[in-house]
């Protein structure tokens, strides 16, 4: 197991060469000086930190019961991972010996990978390593090899080729030739994706810091392009992908391809010929090459004549590259340059991402010949899987065996999680490829005689089905519409059960792919399921939605273990013979025991309870707040469920309520009011409208800490008294019973809320004995539906108004909604609330994003059915026509049908069996912009219940302040369209904006499970907690450890690693280590570009952080170009009017002020002031700060009147908000005095000049250019990074205080755990991203954070 920060783990492919993965000096390791033996205490935190009272035990994984987690980890020794690396010497033919740093946990094959990546040995693939004449086994760990130690010599020995090895060699050479070519990233192949950071930093930041020592005050050109300046209306698309100099590829060869003479005839095979290649060199020489067991040589064949005899020069080379070097001087020169460039690139630009990222724009590219791509396309690559030679992978077996790996201690868990993650990402890639092949008609159906919609497919051991209602399965639920959403619901169920991770319970590998208007579900295959009928196989659950139901004791036992984390109620239902059957899931959930003896569950589409707001049930009344909001509304299907996040938030809300009720009664008891309890008993189940004041925000506890803390503390205290009284005092037992009853708990002795997912399920009947329980469950569901409307949506709007969350595009808005458990179908309701909100002005950006999202989602729904009627030959014409109708101002675009001379006159009459989408209708061609926009408005009303006031795209843009380029980006990302990178004239009324040549591709949109690295995540959380308490160094160590573990599980590239690197960079910056901050942040930016996309809002944030660290390292021009890039991306993604734009413009303005570009600086700062005033209100402290920044620039320009005016505004705000005595107010008043003196001095001088003319005696004026330090100080303030100067004594007091509070928390926690009277408090599930955005630094500069 490799645990080293400065090394990319084995999971990363060959590209992760070590020699350049970090600047010299092993800086990546936290303390490079001492030997890095890392103490790991079963994944909680290093031992040394345990000693001081500080670390909160990270919460166990959300799923496991407390008890289980405990059983598993008791009596366990501390595992010390010793990781002392050593170096070995490598002797390779033809080059100087060199030494290589290795680690004992590595496998021999990792050394192979490094050699295949090094510049001087990259052309070898078929070799073995020998130590003292003995060949080393590929898969053995280095520590298990006898005699291998510091200084050992490993000899590289060339091995004879086989056909497989020869193919691998040719592929590798092709990859080396294409290593700088972005074609694979544009085409979305092999997990390549784009990154443009190096264009703006001119190579690696680490080196440039050394080159440009001394303040680079050489004149820098600071003027940004016109379109980046504030107020510019144009939004060009081309700068999104700036031209990278390295992409003008050096041509080494014109053609390298398989020869038509393959495979070798028998007699040549017996001479050792493996295959033939055909090459055209850059000098236009055509040669034919034989790959034989001994290596590569030229033969005498031509295109039309086969002659396998060797040609001259008779040169046999073990490597194809060496042979080509011999015959082509251009190849020799260019290949060397290319490899030099390749190894200079940052490894993060080259490593494959775990899941494919697609680009929605691409430049016009030449289509070059490529033997490997051609071979991949037609061999379907099934027989050629490098790591499992010659067989297709048994996906189900791989997915399930990785789950069965042991997980008792940290190394085992890391190995297990790494294996699970790797198999999942491979499975996702294979499933995506298969789904595309299925829709494109390249896979034969297993039931070919049935109608196209009903067909099912098997390819590469994966089962594919289409999202249509086959055999009226979903007749009662909404037919095809229900069949379309069922797969995503099922995927959410799989995700949930996987997260709970109960031993012995298995789910199917599931991937949902949307492509060309069709939804394909890809699943791994349960062994034996295809040989028998479903009726016989299902031993738990129901195959007909509850008519026949069966159960099984082993399934009940397994599912019982998931019931607590998932808040599911074990319940009884009646089957068709009126017998009671006990279940612990919804009836649709089926249990099947495979031929491998494993217990599988599938069809998890109703894991969570139904959403009653969208499920009208005759005779059922919803709570008042639902009725007020216009619910229940009939939805298109009856599979609407509540999200897991909502269930968790609701239970947490009820828990607080439970505590408050119990506390209230106890207080009344203590006060001797005997009538206390009676008041509650008749209250019955508590509807959520009984406590509107109790839910100010989604997490009442965490959100309102200030005013709520004392109340909560009381509740906690009382909870403890309840706990301690529990056994003895019958009155307190009564109290708990009443409180349980009031909040709808299923147990009367402890707080425990669970849902029955079958309530209101059509076709499910409950026994009479359960009527009370069913009634309570119905009430609970109504309360949950009301909670979503009365707490979660207002809470979301409140968070947005306070800028606690800052979505920037549709995807980030959707993420923010989902974190709070609000489904996208509530988008219309969210927008209604925004419109009615008193803070409507401050929510303007949310309204715009919401409307854009509403329009593009409605358009996507229409586009889906539109595409299903298009045959392949008309695809680009149909898509460009749709885009014209959607976005172009041209009033009547005409669709171009495929040219007539190509349409065959004899039409095929057999319709039943055409491939999908071959319906030869051209109905799509008659769509008009008016009809499309009418449909969009209708869809918005029907689906989201929101009335759009626009009939054309231009009206929409006008009414709602949207940008067409943003709408284009959103619709392309949602539907997988890729368009040509060029400037589109959307507003031209003379010609349509898009032609069919502008649509380059259509990609699949893929939904899959994201396996998590749980231990790493716990480290990350404890590290964040440390940082927030002000223990920066300890926090930094924990987070470096988390980074190690993340790398171990995910490989080098992952969203969570990105969050980790960003936080590390910020910590290093705060602790004054700018170089380390730069190096980490550079990785974070590259990773964000590669994994999330080059213009994802997260990437924009990363660019801003990197610019700050560049400025601090006095790389001013780099800082500016990074900030300009961030501003351009934000303009494209949203536009200018966003609260984040104020921060960005303040940053740009400050840097420009620092390089004395005053006029330019003012344009940005004044824009920031305007935006801040709009979004934070004219009296906010952010606005005061903005006034001050503007005043400073006016001062530098000696325009004192304007400076005074702005500073006075700022002073007034400080005075009213903070009072006379606050230091900010005093600072401001000092500055005002200083400005007044300067203004007076200037006036005197002017008067002197007027009086005495040119002979006047003028004292020199002091105009101050701002110092870099003062600019940096302001930059830190606006970016929320505060260094508080504290004396040693203050520090001690502070730490003591933090530790004391912490002990109190711990004590209360352990007490709660010890005598759990009321089950444990539900854990808030936090994702690393949200917490990482503001590590330990307050967002608003006015509230100082705890940075020692």
């Amino acid at each position: 197991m490799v645990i080293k920060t400065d090394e990319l783990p084995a999971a990363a492919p060959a590209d992760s060469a070590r020699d350049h993965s970090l600047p010299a000096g092993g800086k990546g390791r936290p303390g490079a000086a001492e030997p890095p033996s890392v103490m790991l205490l079963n994944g909680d935190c290093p031992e040394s930190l345990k000693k001081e009272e500080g670390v909160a035990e990270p919460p166990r994984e959300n799923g496991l019961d407390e008890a289980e987690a405990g059983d598993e980890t008791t009596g366990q020794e501390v595992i010390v991972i010793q990781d002392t690396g050593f170096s070995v010497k490598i002797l390779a033919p033809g080059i100087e010996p060199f030494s290589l740093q290795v680690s004992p946990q590595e496998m021999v094959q990792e050394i192979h990978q490094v050699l295949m990546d090094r510049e001087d040995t990259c052309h070898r693939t078929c070799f073995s390593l020998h130590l003292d004449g003995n060949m080393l086994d590929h898969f053995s760990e280095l520590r298990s090899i006898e005699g291998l130690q510091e200084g050992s010599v490993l000899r590289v020995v060339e091995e004879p080729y086989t056909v497989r090895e020869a193919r691998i060699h040719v592929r590798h050479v092709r990859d080396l030739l294409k290593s700088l070519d972005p074609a694979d990233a544009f085409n979305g192949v092999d997990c390549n994706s784009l990154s443009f950071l190096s264009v703006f930093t001119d190579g690696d930041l680490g080196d440039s810091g050394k080159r440009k020592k001394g303040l680079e005050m050489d004149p820098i050109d600071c003027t940004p392009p016109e379109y980046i300046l504030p107020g510019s209306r144009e939004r060009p698309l081309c700068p999104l992908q700036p031209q990278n100099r390295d992409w003008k590829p050096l041509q080494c060869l014109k053609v390298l391809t398989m020869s038509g003479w393959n495979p070798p005839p028998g007699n040549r095979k017996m001479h050792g010929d493996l295959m033939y290649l055909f090459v055209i060199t850059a000098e236009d020489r055509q040669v034919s090459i034989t790959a034989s067991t001994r290596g590569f040589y030229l033969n005498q064949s031509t295109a039309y004549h086969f002659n396998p005899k060797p040609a001259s020069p008779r040169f046999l080379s073990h490597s194809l590259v060496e042979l080509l070097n011999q015959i082509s001087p251009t190849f020799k020169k260019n290949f060397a340059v290319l490899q030099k460039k390749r190894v200079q690139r940052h490894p993060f630009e080259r490593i494959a991402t775990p899941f494919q990222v697609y680009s929605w724009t691409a430049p016009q590219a030449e289509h070059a010949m490529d033997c490997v791509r051609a071979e991949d396309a037609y061999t379907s690559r099934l027989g050629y899987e490098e790591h499992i030679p010659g067989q297709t992978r048994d996906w189900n077996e791989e997915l399930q065996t990785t789950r069965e790996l042991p997980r008792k201690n940290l190394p085992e868990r890391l190995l297990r999680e790494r294996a699970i993650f790797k198999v999942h990402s491979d499975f996702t890639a294979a499933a995506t490829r298969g789904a595309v092949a299925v829709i494109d008609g390249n896979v034969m159906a297993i039931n070919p005689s049935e109608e196209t919609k009903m067909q099912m497919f098997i390819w590469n051991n994966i089962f594919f089905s289409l999202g249509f209602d086959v055999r009226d399965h979903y007749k009662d639920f909404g037919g095809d519409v229900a069949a379309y959403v069922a797969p995503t619901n099922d995927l959410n169920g799989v995700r949930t059960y996987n997260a709970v991770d109960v031993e012995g319970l298995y789910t199917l590998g599931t991937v949902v792919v949307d492509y060309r208007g069709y939804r394909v579900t890809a699943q791994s295959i349960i062994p034996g399921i295809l040989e028998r009928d479903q009726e016989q196989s299902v031993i738990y659950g129901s195959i007909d939605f509850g008519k026949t139901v069966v159960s099984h004791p082993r399934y009940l036992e397994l599912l019982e273990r998931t019931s607590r984390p998932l808040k599911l109620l074990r319940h009884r239902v009646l089957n068709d013979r009126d017998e009671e059957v006990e279940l612990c899931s919804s009836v649709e959930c089926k249990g099947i025991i495979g031929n491998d003896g494993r217990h599988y569950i599938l069809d998890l589409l109703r894991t969570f309870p139904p959403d009653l707001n969208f499920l009208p049930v005759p005779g059922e009344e919803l709570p008042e707040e639902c009725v007020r909001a216009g619910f229940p509304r009939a939805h298109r299907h009856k599979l609407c469920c509540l999200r897991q996040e909502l269930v968790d938030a609701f239970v947490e809300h009820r828990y607080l309520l439970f505590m408050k009720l119990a506390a209230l009664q106890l207080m009344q008891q203590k006060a001797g009011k005997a009538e206390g309890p009676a008041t509650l008993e008749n209250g019955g189940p508590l509807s959520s409208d009984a406590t509107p004041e109790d839910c100010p925000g989604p997490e009442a506890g965490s959100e309102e800490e200030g005013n709520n803390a004392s109340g909560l503390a009381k509740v906690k205290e009382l909870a403890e008294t309840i706990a301690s009284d529990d056994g003895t005092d019958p009155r307190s037992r009564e109290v708990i019973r009443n409180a349980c009853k009031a909040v709808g708990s299923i147990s009367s002795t402890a707080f425990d809320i669970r849902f029955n997912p079958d309530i209101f399920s059509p076709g499910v009947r409950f026994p009479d004995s359960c009527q009370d329980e069913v009634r309570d469950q119905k009430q609970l569901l109504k309360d949950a539906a009301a909670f979503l409307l009365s707490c979660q949506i207002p809470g979301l709007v409140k968070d947005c108004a306070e800028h606690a969350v800052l979505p920037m595009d549709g995807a980030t808005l959707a993420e923010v909604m989902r974190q709070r458990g609000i489904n996208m179908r509530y988008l219309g309701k969210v927008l209604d609330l925004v419109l009615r909100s008193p803070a409507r002005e401050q929510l303007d950006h949310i309204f715009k994003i919401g409307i854009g999202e509403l329009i593009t989602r409605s358009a996507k729904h229409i586009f889906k059915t539109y595409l299903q009627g298009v045959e392949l030959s008309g695809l680009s014409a149909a898509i460009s026509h749709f885009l014209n109708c959607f976005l172009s101002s041209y009033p009547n675009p005409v669709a171009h049908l495929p040219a007539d001379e190509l349409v065959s006159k004899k039409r095929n009459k057999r319709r039943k069996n055409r491939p999908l989408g071959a319906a030869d209708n051209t109905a799509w061609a008659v769509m008009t912009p008016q009809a499309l926009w009418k449909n969009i408005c209708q869809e918005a009303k029907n689906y989201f219940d929101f009335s759009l006031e626009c009939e054309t795209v231009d009206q929409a843009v006008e009414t709602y302040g949207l940008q067409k380029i943003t709408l284009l980006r959103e619709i392309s990302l949602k539907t997988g369209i890729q368009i040509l990178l060029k400037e589109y004239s959307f507003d031209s009324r003379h010609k349509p904006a898009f032609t069919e040549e502008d649509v380059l591709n259509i990609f699949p949109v893929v939904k899959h499970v994201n396996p998590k690295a749980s231990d790493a995540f716990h480290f990350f959380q404890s590290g964040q907690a440390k940082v927030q308490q002000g223990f920066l160094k300890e926090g930094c160590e924990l987070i470096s450890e988390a980074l190690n573990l993340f790398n171990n599980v995910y490989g080098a590239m992952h969203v969570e690693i990105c969050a980790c690197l960003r936080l590390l960079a910020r910590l290093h910056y705060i602790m004054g280590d700018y170089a380390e901050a730069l190096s980490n942040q550079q990785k974070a930016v590259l990773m964000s570009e590669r994994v999330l996309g080059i213009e994802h809002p997260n990437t924009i944030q990363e660019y801003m952080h990197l610019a700050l660290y560049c400025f601090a390292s006095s790389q001013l021009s780099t800082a500016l170009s990074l900030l300009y890039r961030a501003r351009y991306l934000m303009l494209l993604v949203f536009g200018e009017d966003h609260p984040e734009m104020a921060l960005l413009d303040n940053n740009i303005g400050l840097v420009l002020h620092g390089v004395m570009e005053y006029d330019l600086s003012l344009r940005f700062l004044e824009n920031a002031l305007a935006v801040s005033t709009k979004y934070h209100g004219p009296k906010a402290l952010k606005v005061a700060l903005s006034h001050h920044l503007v005043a400073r620039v006016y001062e530098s320009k000696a325009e004192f009147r304007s400076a005074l005016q702005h500073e006075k505004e700022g002073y007034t705000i400080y005075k009213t908000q903070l009072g006379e005595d606050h230091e900010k107010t005093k600072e401001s008043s000092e500055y005002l005095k200083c400005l007044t003196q300067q203004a007076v001095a200037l006036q005197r001088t002017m008067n002197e000049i007027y009086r005495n003319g040119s002979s006047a005696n003028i004292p020199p004026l002091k105009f101050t250019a701002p110092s870099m330090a003062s600019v940096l100080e302001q930059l830190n303030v606006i970016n929320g990074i505060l260094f508080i100067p504290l004396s040693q004594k203050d520090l001690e007091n502070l730490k003591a205080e933090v530790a004391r509070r912490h002990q109190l928390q711990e004590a209360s926690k352990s007490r709660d755990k010890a005598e759990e009277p009321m089950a444990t408090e539900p854990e808030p599930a936090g994702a690393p991203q949200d917490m990482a955005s503001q590590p330990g630094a307050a967002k608003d500069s006015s509230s100082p954070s705890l940075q020692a």
Side-chain angles (χ1 to χ4, degrees), residues 782-797:
K782 292 175 185 174
D783 293 350
F787 170 74
L788 198 157
L789 294 170
S790 62
C791 282
Q792 295 303 81
I793 293 182
L796 168 74
V797 173

Side-chain angles (χ1 to χ4, degrees), residues 561-805:
R561 289 160 61 187
T562 66
S563 66
R564 191 161 133 209
L566 300 187
K567 325 271 188 292
L568 291 182
L569 180 68
R570 188 163 172 163
H571 58 280
R572 297 197 296 279
V573 297
L574 293 173
N575 65 10
D576 48 351
R577 297 197 294 278
D578 284 339
E579 299 159 349
E580 293 191 9
V581 180
E582 191 164 19
L583 295 175
C584 199
S585 64
S586 65
V587 286
E588 293 84 36
C589 168
K590 302 172 191 37
I592 296 181
I593 298 184
N595 282 1
D596 52 3
R598 294 188 178 106
H599 291 73
Y600 292 92
I601 49 171
L602 54 155
D603 287 348
L604 307 174
L605 51 141
R606 302 194 59 150
T607 303
F608 292 107
D611 180 354
L612 294 194
N613 289 327
F614 286 94
L615 189 69
V617 182
E620 291 287 349
E621 284 286 302
L622 280 186
E624 186 206 346
E625 53 269 58
C626 299
V627 179
R628 269 207 310 270
F631 289 111
R633 292 188 57 228
H635 202 54
R636 297 187 176 167
H637 57 81
K638 293 185 175 164
L639 295 177
C640 293
C641 295
L642 299 172
R643 294 185 65 86
Q644 186 180 8
E645 297 90 340
L646 184 90
V647 172
D648 291 345
F650 175 71
V651 172
E652 194 173 331
H653 173 71
R654 279 286 158 108
Y655 179 67
L656 281 171
L657 192 64
F658 167 78
M659 294 294 245
K660 282 182 184 164
L661 288 175
L664 196 74
Q665 287 189 50
L666 270 183
M667 275 153 75
Q668 289 172 341
Q669 276 190 9
K670 282 194 176 155
K673 292 183 187 159
E675 73 278 9
T679 51
L680 255 169
E681 270 170 358
N682 48 21
L686 207 128
S687 156
S688 61
D689 52 339
T691 55
E693 72 285 354
D694 284 342
C695 42
E699 300 88 18
S702 58
E703 291 282 312
E704 306 257 313
E705 298 241 286
N707 51 11
N708 223 348
S710 55
L712 265 177
K714 274 190 192 139
V715 169
K716 278 268 191 303
E717 203 177 304
L718 284 153
E720 283 159 27
T721 32
I722 298 178
S724 52
D725 288 355
D726 189 39
T728 51
D729 187 352
R731 277 192 310 184
S732 56
R733 233 173 305 168
E734 173 117 342
V735 166
I736 288 179
R737 190 173 317 122
N738 292 333
C740 282
K741 189 172 172 192
V743 294
S745 163
I746 57 164
S747 145
S748 61
T749 55
F751 175 84
D752 191 0
I753 286 191
R754 305 199 187 181
F755 290 91
N756 174 346
D758 283 329
I759 300 277
F760 297 127
S761 221
V764 176
R765 301 174 306 138
F766 297 101
D768 294 339
S769 57
C770 305
Q771 287 317 311
D772 288 354
E773 182 189 290
V774 169
R775 191 194 61 232
D776 292 349
Q777 280 292 327
K778 286 183 176 175
Q779 186 57 46
L780 202 57
L781 282 180
K782 292 175 185 174
D783 293 350
F787 170 74
L788 198 157
L789 294 170
S790 62
C791 282
Q792 295 303 81
I793 293 182
L796 168 74
V797 173
K798 174 170 172 281
D799 282 352
C800 289
E802 290 171 354
H803 306 301
V805 287

Side-chain angles (χ1 to χ4, degrees), residues 1162-1221:
L1162 273 177
R1163 288 185 69 170
F1164 287 101
L1165 289 175
E1166 287 180 329
N1167 187 57
L1169 177 61
V1171 175
S1172 286
T1173 309
K1174 170 175 176 181
Y1175 282 109
H1176 296 281
K1179 295 274 174 286
L1181 295 173
K1182 276 204 161 77
V1183 176
L1185 181 61
S1186 229
H1187 277 300
H1188 173 65
L1189 297 179
V1190 174
R1192 286 181 39 163
V1193 181
Y1194 276 123
E1195 177 201 8
S1196 300
K1197 289 181 68 179
E1199 293 181 19
F1200 296 114
R1201 182 168 295 162
S1202 307
L1204 276 165
Q1205 194 181 338
H1206 278 287
E1207 191 55 43
K1208 270 182 191 143
E1209 295 274 343
Y1211 173 71
T1212 318
I1213 297 174
Y1214 283 133
K1215 196 166 123 189
T1216 47
Q1217 297 282 25
L1218 304 171
E1220 292 271 354
D1221 301 331

Side-chain angles (χ1 to χ4, degrees), residues 193-195 348 353 357 1053-1055 1057-1059 1061-1062 1081-1103:
S193 57
L194 298 166
S195 158
F348 283 7
T353 58
V357 178
M1053 284 265 155
H1054 196 272
V1055 188
I1057 299 181
C1058 194
L1061 286 165
R1062 175 196 328 147
Q1081 188 57 33
Q1082 179 187 14
K1083 290 180 191 164
V1085 176
L1086 285 170
M1087 202 173 294
S1088 186
E1089 286 192 306
R1090 295 281 321 279
V1091 178
L1092 291 168
I1094 52 173
E1095 81 296 336
H1096 189 278
N1098 193 64
T1099 308
I1100 301 178
Q1101 299 268 344
E1102 305 294 11
Y1103 263 98

Side-chain angles (χ1 to χ4, degrees), residues 809-876:
D809 68 346
T812 42
L813 175 67
E815 192 185 331
V816 165
M817 285 175 64
R818 287 174 181 147
Q819 278 167 3
R820 285 161 181 68
I822 305 168
N823 308 70
M824 288 315 288
R825 57 178 172 269
Y826 286 99
L827 183 58
K829 285 287 162 268
V830 173
L831 289 175
D832 282 340
L833 195 58
V834 167
L835 277 175
R836 296 201 313 271
S837 162
R840 164 73 185 84
E841 182 79 341
Q842 284 154 33
L843 289 162
D844 199 33
H845 60 300
I846 301 291
F847 188 65
K848 277 184 196 163
I849 296 171
I851 291 284
E853 186 69 350
L854 196 106
I855 290 175
T856 42
R857 275 178 185 263
S858 303
K860 178 184 80 170
H861 296 167
I862 296 161
F863 183 68
K864 180 188 82 193
T865 37
Y866 171 89
L867 268 195
Q868 288 180 3
V870 180
E871 57 183 7
L872 198 50
S873 60
L875 208 52
S876 58

